[in-house]
Amino acid sequence: MEFTARIGKREGLARSIARSGALGLIERLPASRTLLALNYHRIGDPLSTPYDPTVYSATANELRLQMEYVSRHCTVISVSEVLRWLEEGNPPAKRACYALITFDDAYLDNYEIAFPILKSIGIPAVFFVPTAFIGTGRVPWWDAIAFLLKNSRRRIFPLAYPTMIKIDLESNPLLLELSRLLAMYKQPSMTDGERFLSELAEACEASLPGVSAERSFCNWLELRQMLDAGMAVEAHTHTHPILSQLPEDQQQIELATCSNLIKERLGLAPRTLAYPVGMHSSFTEATKHAATRAGFKAAFSFYGGMNSFPLRDPLDLRREAVGYQSIERFRSQVATGRAWGGIWP
Ligand SMILES: [Zn+2]
């Protein structure tokens, strides 16, 4: 399968400012006082997976280069520091771009690949874990959707739920059709995930993937080691639903179950939460209310952007996704964010 994430206008722009020397000048500008929370998912080779390739953020080598870059140009902090700023209500004294490194979903590669890199560079990160996945070979909905599409026997087929859509693998690249299906699943109106997956399987004439024979998520022992080495393990719900698709009492159960399990297994109650998917439409005021009631002091979204001081809404701290991008684009984004508080290109 073709993986075209590194082609496009923004990639071209980033490479030309790196080549022109302009990037070097931006890197030498004084830093603005901001918080840049970077978000990663899987680390490794997106071409090697039978599941969703778009959930890969970087290869091992790229992650190392990116972490070395961030530790040189920003002040890398832990999630405790963010909580301290929120509690005290004061901006940090030093004028710097503070970087928080975050990972979502607790895939095994977070432990096997990312953790040793972070440890060797000596920077902390926070891992947001969906507790029902821990130690399992579960195939989450995004991976199941990608698996079905990759194994589809039909090249063109309609899908009726939650809205009518025609998938056309004859004319469109698989990644484009995958992104359309993932976007459909993420709509707040999509309230029956099982129905969506079974109708997709039927339309594709493919079988839904079973639980993977190999473990695909970290186990508690691995999370414990990460915690002992200075990493933070925080909440990402129990079963990774899109919270805005659930009634408030179920949201509450998702958050409380996750929090209680982390506390029970690791001895530390999580204080922060990352909303699954984390788009504007993935959480509501009811979600924030449920998060507060479950004891969370802060929560992270995923629709992009940086945070200025004083931090405005502790239950909507912004994170910038690291997609599968070139090192030039990563450098440009961090450098512009550091200097001007806005990510570009
Ligand atoms: Zn997630």
Side-chain angles (χ1 to χ4, degrees), residues 46-58:
L47 294 177
S48 68
T49 181
Y51 305 118
D52 184 2
T54 65
V55 81
Y56 282 80
S57 308

Side-chain angles (χ1 to χ4, degrees), residues 117-318:
I117 292 173
L118 294 160
K119 226 175 12 175
S120 74
I121 299 173
I123 54 178
V126 46
F127 293 84
F128 290 104
V129 306
T131 41
F133 295 8
I134 299 308
T136 74
R138 268 172 88 128
V139 180
W141 51 264
W142 57 92
D143 278 334
I145 291 171
F147 181 90
L148 288 172
L149 209 56
K150 285 178 175 181
N151 291 285
S152 179
R153 289 202 192 92
R154 300 275 300 275
R155 306 298 295 161
I156 300 172
F157 58 87
L159 206 64
Y161 176 76
T163 43
M164 200 68 194
I165 187 177
K166 191 180 92 177
I167 295 298
D168 184 352
L169 294 166
E170 213 59 72
S171 323
N172 300 324
L174 188 136
L175 282 183
L176 178 77
E177 296 302 65
L178 175 59
S179 71
R180 289 176 68 213
L181 286 172
L182 292 173
M184 243 175 110
Y185 190 100
K186 291 171 187 170
Q187 289 173 26
S189 60
M190 205 300 301
T191 52
D192 189 345
E194 272 180 36
R195 177 178 167 195
F196 182 92
L197 290 177
S198 68
E199 289 189 8
L200 177 63
E202 206 175 308
C204 287
E205 292 176 14
S207 303
L208 272 163
V211 172
S212 154
E214 280 169 35
R215 180 162 65 88
S216 36
F217 292 95
C218 296
N219 63 29
W220 290 108
L221 211 63
E222 290 156 352
L223 293 175
R224 157 62 56 197
Q225 280 179 41
M226 288 155 86
L227 201 62
D228 290 347
M231 306 293 149
V233 176
E234 299 284 323
H236 197 36
T237 72
H238 185 52
T239 65
H240 204 290
I242 293 164
L243 290 165
S244 59
Q245 295 171 348
L246 300 180
E248 191 174 339
D249 58 334
Q250 274 185 44
Q251 298 189 37
Q252 189 72 45
I253 292 169
E254 276 287 339
L255 299 179
T257 308
C258 174
S259 177
N260 292 339
L261 267 170
I262 293 176
K263 182 158 185 228
E264 192 186 304
R265 303 305 294 260
L266 300 176
L268 272 177
R271 299 154 301 167
T272 63
L273 161 75
Y275 302 117
V277 178
M279 287 157 33
H280 285 288
S281 61
S282 314
F283 59 99
T284 63
E285 285 306 311
T287 312
K288 290 182 178 177
H289 186 231
T292 306
R293 280 207 296 162
F296 294 109
K297 305 288 179 226
F300 291 86
S301 56
F302 183 58
Y303 53 80
M306 292 181 65
N307 305 279
S308 52
F309 291 100
L311 299 169
R312 266 185 296 269
D313 184 354
L315 294 173
D316 185 2
L317 295 171
R318 291 167 181 210

Side-chain angles (χ1 to χ4, degrees), residues 323-336:
Y324 207 73
Q325 64 213 59
S326 66
I327 187 68
E328 289 87 355
R329 183 148 172 237
F330 180 86
R331 282 176 57 199
S332 308
Q333 292 191 334
V334 174
T336 54

